[in-house]
């Protein structure tokens, strides 16, 4: 068992699960979407990206790309939420819907990332 | 290029993860800890304000407690956060700086910059491996001719020396082992603009691998190599190296010429060496018995060449083993008067001090001259740093391997016609012919450096010459006129004219030129620059031919037409 691999896989799966946890629920219902969960998903996603740095294989490059996509969408979601809450007129249903759909996009990227992880593991067979 | 970014990212993984975690925990703590607003009402910080606060706290800018003054619980947490974030930042920046200062990283960056620079070259260039005495001379001379070079050198101090030499054009250089094929590749071995590879390192094996790599990867490219042993010479020749220079052999051939054909020797010297010997040096007796001190590589090469020319010899060597040598031999170094007298220095005409030690060599010629002041002295200089002493040693010939190789290579690079000319001269002409030629050369350049160059009448080299009308005949004389004032001649003279297989030495000025002809000139280098105007600029050529300022613009054509009516 490789400790580095465990940490790597842990963060990738954590990013996916947190993201999923935030995304699940009625799209525009504020009770179904917790801001802390978005924060945790964003932090896990950022850590994932950093962990994927420096892998020179083709799969590594793909994984980094998916991670960067997830980051981009989650940061966009967080910025929209923060801007609406502080500067705009509060988080209404429309704002929440766009935040949740952005996190849905990030979810897709995270799923791809996990799929790649599984593919790589299966290919290596060790 | 990817290498650097990947290494940077991989090494920064730990600090970046630390930074993200510290920020995340700090922000989360601030959001969770209850606070009070200005009215004393319970209030919770949101993520936006928490991130804003941590951002300016982490970078220790410090704007105070926003948006409302903190409660004590919040201050406790902030206290912990300040130290955590500052340490995380120090850690990250420290790692980054350490990485940037690492020698390995620096090498990687330099190599990357070098590869990019070479890749961007769009002019023909020579790849020079080894920047010692020879390499630096070649690079300097090529730079003076505005030829580009790329340098690979194993020792960092020599690369630094290149930095300080202050060449007029930029020379991409890298401290690397040139005998590795991937280094050669990085240095542009397969670059479309690379026109020649010069293997000038002081290691025969390295030169051999450079030459082989070049011939295997790009067979038609010119490869020039130096060598110091006969085995390597044969090996280099076997796979088609274009020019192999063995300094000892080359110098031996050069020196032998002085004993029987002093004027031919001088012509050879003037054409190959930048600082040529004055004509007065000929009047010294050189036919007779010579003494060679030191029977190493140089001694052996000299011995062979002198024997071939039928010169009587005496050897001085400290070797113990009695080899069966036909020449008389005296044991010793040659620095003491006793040894020299035993070798018969008083009746000899010349002495060659050819040992490995510069101090010994100088001592030999000083002692020998004291015993016989009319002696012709040849001294071998091993180290470039001893230049000053050797220049003032008043020896007739100073033999410096690095310089000899450089001159031979430059002659080849300047124009491939020059070696052809020299070979013809040695084979077909006697010393009287050489004396006449030498007088003409001396009339042209005096004591200044005799440069040589050649033109081939073709579209690439001499576009103007091929634009002439059918009825206009181009004579050699036209090229030698000053394009600023056609009544004056340029300080140069034609050495050779070649048309296909037909070669003519010293062609007359009325020689008519055709497409495909090659002409070798010698003279001052300023003449070359002016001649380039003539062969490239049609208007200049017309002026030289007709004496009229020719202008082919629309306006002048209209004016001329108007004048005719």
């Amino acid at each position: 068992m490789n400790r580095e691999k465990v940490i790597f896989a842990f963060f990738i799966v954590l990013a996916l699960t947190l993201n999923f946890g935030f995304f699940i629920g009625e799209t525009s219902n504020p009770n179904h979407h917790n801001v802390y969960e978005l924060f945790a998903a964003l932090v896990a996603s950022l850590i994932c990206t950093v962990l994927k740095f420096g892998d020179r294989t083709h799969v590594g490059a793909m994984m980094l790309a998916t991670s960067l996509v997830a980051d981009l969408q989650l940061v966009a979601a967080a910025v929209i939420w923060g801007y609406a809450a502080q500067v705009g007129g509060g988080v209404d249903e429309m704002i929440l819907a766009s935040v949740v759909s952005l996190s849905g996009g990030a979810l897709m990227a995270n799923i791809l990332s996990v799929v790649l992880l599984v593919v790589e593991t299966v290919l290596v067979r060790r | 290029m990817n290498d650097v970014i990947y290494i940077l990212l991989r090494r920064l993984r730990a600090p970046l993860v630390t930074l993200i975690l510290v920020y995340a925990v700090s922000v989360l703590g601030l959001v969770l800890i209850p606070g009070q607003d200005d009215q004393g009402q319970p209030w919770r910080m949101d993520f936006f304000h928490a991130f804003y606060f941590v951002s300016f706290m982490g970078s220790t800018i410090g704007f105070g407690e926003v948006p409302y003054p903190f409660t004590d619980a919040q201050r406790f947490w902030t206290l912990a956060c300040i130290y955590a974030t500052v340490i995380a930042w120090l850690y990250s920046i420290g790692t980054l700086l350490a990485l940037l200062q690492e020698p390995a990283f620096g090498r990687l960056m330099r190599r990357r910059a070098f590869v990019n620079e070479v890749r961007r070259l769009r002019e023909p260039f020579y790849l020079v491996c080894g920047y010692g005495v020879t390499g630096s001379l070649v690079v300097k001379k090529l730079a003076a001719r505005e030829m580009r070079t790329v340098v690979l050198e194993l020792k960092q101090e020599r690369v630094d020396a290149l930095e300080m030499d202050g060449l007029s054009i930029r020379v991409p250089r890298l401290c690397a082992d040139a005998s590795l094929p991937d280094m050669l590749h990085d240095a542009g071995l397969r670059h479309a603009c690379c026109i020649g590879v010069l293997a000038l390192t002081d290691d025969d094996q390295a030169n051999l691998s450079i030459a082989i790599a070049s011939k295997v990867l790009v067979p038609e490219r010119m490869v020039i190599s130096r060598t110091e042993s006969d085995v390597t010479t044969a090996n280099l020749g076997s796979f088609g190296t274009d020019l192999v220079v063995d300094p000892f052999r080359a110098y031996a051939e050069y020196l032998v010429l002085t004993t029987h054909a002093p004027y031919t020797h001088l012509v050879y010297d003037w054409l190959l060496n930048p600082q040529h010997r004055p004509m007065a040096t000929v009047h010294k007796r050189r036919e007779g018995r010579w003494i060679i001190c030191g029977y190493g590589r140089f001694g052996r090469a000299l011995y062979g060449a002198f024997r071939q020319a039928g010169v009587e010899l005496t050897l001085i060597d400290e070797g113990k083993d009695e080899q069966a040598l036909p020449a008389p031999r005296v044991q010793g170094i040659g620095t003491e008067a006793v040894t020299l007298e035993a070798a018969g220095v008083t009746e000899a005409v010349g002495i060659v001090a050819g040992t490995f030690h510069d101090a010994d060599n100088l001592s030999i010629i000083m002692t020998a001259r004291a015993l016989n002041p009319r002696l012709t002295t040849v001294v071998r200089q091993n180290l470039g740093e001893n230049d000053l002493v050797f220049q003032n040693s008043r020896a007739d010939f100073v033999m410096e391997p690095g310089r000899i190789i450089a001159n031979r290579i430059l002659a080849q690079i300047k124009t491939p016609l020059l070696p052809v000319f020299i070979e013809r001269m040695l084979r077909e002409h006697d010393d009287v012919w050489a004396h006449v030629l030498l007088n003409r050369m001396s009339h042209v350049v005096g004591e200044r450096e005799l440069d040589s160059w050649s033109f081939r009448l073709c579209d690439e080299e001499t576009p103007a010459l091929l634009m002439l009308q059918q009825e206009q005949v181009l004579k050699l004389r036209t090229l030698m006129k000053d394009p600023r004032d056609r009544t004056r001649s340029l300080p140069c003279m034609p050495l050779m004219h070649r048309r296909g297989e037909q070669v003519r030495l010293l062609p007359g000025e009325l020689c008519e030129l055709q497409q495909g002809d090659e002409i070798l000139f010698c003279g001052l280098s300023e003449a070359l620059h002016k001649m380039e105007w003539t062969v490239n600029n049609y208007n200049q050529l017309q002026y030289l031919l007709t004496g009229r300022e020719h202008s082919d613009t629309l306006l002048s054509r209209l004016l001329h037409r108007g004048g005719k009516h």
Side-chain angles (χ1 to χ4, degrees):
Chain A
M1 194 177 75
N2 188 335
R3 192 163 56 99
E4 199 186 332
K5 288 277 173 216
V6 175
I7 296 175
F8 189 61
F10 170 77
F11 273 104
I12 288 180
V13 176
L14 185 69
L16 173 67
T17 48
L18 286 171
N19 197 335
F20 181 72
F22 175 76
F23 175 72
I24 197 82
E26 230 171 89
T27 310
S28 49
N29 188 342
N31 295 329
H32 294 179
H33 304 287
N34 190 331
V35 70
Y36 291 102
E37 207 151 10
L38 179 62
F39 174 72
L42 179 57
V43 169
S45 182
L46 284 175
I47 291 174
C48 257
T49 313
V50 174
L51 287 178
K52 286 169 182 173
F53 278 168
D55 189 347
R56 303 191 57 184
T57 60
H58 189 70
V59 176
M62 284 287 290
M63 288 183 97
L64 183 59
T66 55
S67 223
L68 287 173
V69 170
D71 286 349
L72 189 71
Q73 304 224 16
L74 288 176
V75 168
V79 167
I80 288 175
W81 189 316
Y83 189 83
Q86 305 301 326
V87 187
V91 183
D92 57 19
E93 287 191 350
M94 212 176 80
I95 295 290
L96 193 67
S98 55
V99 166
V100 171
S101 54
L102 276 170
S103 82
L107 181 67
M108 288 309 292
N110 272 324
I111 290 173
L112 263 181
S113 194
V114 171
V115 168
L116 284 172
L117 180 72
V118 173
V119 166
E120 198 193 15
T121 317
V122 170
L123 283 179
V124 172
R125 285 195 203 122
R126 254 185 289 170
Chain B
M1 114 128 219
N2 286 335
D3 284 359
V4 179
I5 291 175
Y6 273 118
I7 287 178
L8 203 69
L9 290 182
R10 186 176 308 192
R11 297 289 282 278
L12 289 181
R13 250 189 327 207
L16 285 181
V17 170
T18 315
L19 209 57
I20 292 174
L21 284 176
V22 168
Y23 264 58
V25 171
S26 308
V27 169
L28 193 63
L30 282 176
V31 172
L32 292 178
I33 294 168
Q36 278 180 343
D37 65 6
D38 43 358
Q39 267 93 43
Q41 298 299 315
W43 174 81
R44 278 254 176 114
M45 215 180 226
D46 48 51
F47 278 107
F48 171 73
H49 282 105
F51 185 63
Y52 174 62
F53 180 75
V54 171
S55 292
F56 70 64
M57 176 192 68
S59 50
T60 63
I61 300 169
F63 289 146
E65 299 166 345
V66 289
Y68 307 114
F70 284 180
T71 61
D72 285 343
Q74 279 177 316
R75 284 187 181 151
F76 263 116
W77 180 244
T78 305
L79 206 55
C81 288
I82 286 172
Y83 288 99
T85 49
V86 166
I87 289 167
W89 272 117
L90 284 180
Y91 173 48
S92 306
I93 292 171
T95 314
L96 185 66
L97 288 181
L99 187 62
L100 290 179
Q101 279 171 349
E102 230 171 69
F105 188 77
R107 272 202 298 280
L108 207 60
M109 289 295 286
R110 275 197 297 278
R111 182 167 173 176
R112 195 186 134 187
F114 173 75
V115 170
N116 282 340
E117 200 179 345
V118 171
R119 199 179 295 151
R120 277 198 304 269
L121 280 178
R122 287 291 169 267
E123 295 163 58
F125 66 91
Y126 285 97
L127 170 54
V128 180
C129 306
Y131 193 77
V133 176
T134 318
S136 59
L137 277 171
V138 169
V139 169
K140 262 176 229 162
K141 281 284 174 190
L142 287 176
R145 284 202 162 211
E146 289 169 8
M147 290 291 294
R148 288 204 168 265
T149 42
V150 171
V151 172
L152 279 180
E153 163 61 49
L154 194 55
K155 289 191 187 140
Q156 184 61 47
E157 356 13 320
R158 292 201 189 143
V159 180
D160 297 343
L162 172 57
E163 209 103 10
M164 280 176 282
D165 276 345
L167 298 170
S168 55
I169 50 175
R170 164 122 186 117
V171 176
R173 72 302 285 261
L174 184 69
C175 176
D177 188 354
S179 60
L180 304 174
D182 65 330
M183 284 294 171
L184 287 172
H185 175 76
D186 281 358
L189 185 66
R190 303 173 82 178
H191 195 297
C193 293
C194 177
I195 49 175
V197 178
L198 315 182
L200 306 179
T201 68
D202 49 12
D203 177 6
D204 270 12
Q205 277 307 315
N207 289 339
L208 200 58
S209 38
I210 294 164
I212 289 182
S214 175
K215 275 293 169 192
V216 167
L217 293 173
V218 193
E220 67 276 12
R221 162 112 20 93
M222 176 169 74
V223 176
I224 296 177
S225 173
R226 70 179 275 185
T227 168
E228 285 180 358
S229 74
D230 293 344
V231 184
T232 328
T233 310
N235 198 343
L236 283 165
S238 67
F239 53 84
T241 306
D242 301 77
L243 175 69
V244 181
V245 188
D246 179 344
F248 301 117
R249 202 167 275 269
Y251 200 73
E253 282 162 12
Y254 165 79
L255 201 58
V256 164
L257 221 45
T258 68
T259 61
H260 59 89
Y263 286 106
T264 314
H265 168 85
L266 271 191
V267 171
Y268 183 88
D269 185 81
W270 281 40
L271 286 175
L272 286 190
N273 299 349
Q275 279 137 356
H276 51 239
R277 314 176 63 75
M279 282 178 74
T281 56
V282 167
H283 307 292
K284 209 166 186 183
R285 199 168 71 91
R286 298 209 177 105
E287 279 180 71
R289 197 164 52 79
W290 281 69
I291 299 173
I292 299 178
C293 301
Y295 193 63
R297 283 197 316 254
F298 182 40
R300 260 193 287 277
L302 269 182
Y303 179 80
F306 273 59
R307 294 288 299 179
Q308 219 173 5
V311 180
E312 202 188 333
L313 287 174
T314 305
L315 287 175
I316 297 181
D317 190 59
E318 53 175 349
K320 293 279 184 292
D321 52 330
E322 281 301 323
Q323 292 153 308
L325 291 172
R329 173 191 172 119
V330 178
Q331 190 148 1
I333 308 176
T335 48
E336 317 88 359
V338 191
T339 329
L340 288 174
E341 273 164 357
V345 72
T346 44
E347 306 91 57
V349 292
I351 186 164
V352 181
T355 70
F356 298 114
H357 303 289
D358 281 355
D360 280 356
N361 288 344
L362 284 171
S363 161
I364 290 169
I365 60 158
M366 304 278 271
T367 318
R369 223 177 9 225
L371 294 169
N372 180 357
R374 282 171 300 129
L375 215 53
T376 300
T377 45
V378 182
V379 62
R380 169 179 171 187
Q381 180 186 347
N382 296 291
L383 297 174
E385 291 83 353
N386 289 337
D387 262 347
L388 190 64
V389 194
F390 276 88
Q391 270 165 21
N392 292 304
S393 66
R394 291 191 293 120
D396 293 302
F397 295 91
V398 176
M399 186 269 181
E400 200 193 345
R403 233 169 254 281
I404 293 160
I405 304 168
N407 291 339
R408 285 297 284 264
I409 291 173
L410 283 167
Q412 175 81 25
I413 289 178
K414 270 193 225 168
T415 154
L417 288 188
L418 195 54
V420 178
F421 174 79
I422 288 170
E423 192 235 350
R424 288 268 174 162
M425 174 182 77
L426 295 181
R427 209 175 59 207
E428 293 171 1
H429 293 281
D430 59 3
D431 217 30
V432 181
W433 186 86
H435 194 172
V436 176
L437 172 59
L438 201 62
N439 279 327
R440 283 184 66 189
M441 284 179 171
S442 169
H443 183 67
V444 171
V445 296
E447 292 301 301
R448 285 190 281 171
E449 178 179 345
L450 182 76
D451 204 347
S452 42
W453 62 91
S454 67
F455 289 112
R456 183 192 169 85
L457 266 71
C458 56
D459 274 330
E460 291 83 40
E461 287 185 43
T462 58
L465 300 186
L466 300 182
M467 284 162 69
L468 286 180
Q469 314 296 325
Q470 286 297 324
E471 67 270 17
Q472 281 180 309
V473 178
L474 182 67
K475 291 186 175 152
L476 192 52
R477 188 176 53 186
T478 312
L479 294 185
M480 291 163 59
K481 286 185 199 160
D482 192 334
R484 289 184 193 159
D485 177 2
R486 70 193 289 255
T487 56
R488 284 190 312 182
S489 298
L490 292 172
C492 68
M493 59 178 280
L495 284 179
M496 193 169 78
H497 172 253
R498 183 160 84 175
R499 181 178 295 161
E501 290 296 304
Q502 196 190 339
V503 176
R504 193 142 44 114
L505 299 195
L506 304 184
E509 292 193 337
L510 296 174
C511 172
E512 287 179 14
L513 301 177
Q514 290 177 5
Q515 186 166 0
D517 285 6
E518 289 171 281
I519 316 141
L520 173 66
F521 289 99
C522 74
L524 295 178
S525 46
E526 63 187 59
L528 164 63
H529 297 303
K530 287 187 181 162
M531 204 182 274
E532 276 176 341
W533 271 102
T534 314
V535 302
N536 287 312
N537 190 317
Y538 182 67
N539 293 346
Q540 291 285 5
L541 182 63
Q542 282 299 334
Y543 163 69
L544 287 179
L545 281 168
T546 62
R548 279 199 309 261
E549 286 289 352
H550 184 84
S551 172
D552 210 22
T553 59
L554 186 62
L555 183 65
S556 77
R557 262 185 280 165
L558 285 174
L559 283 175
H560 275 282
R561 200 186 298 163
K564 273 177 200 161
H565 284 306

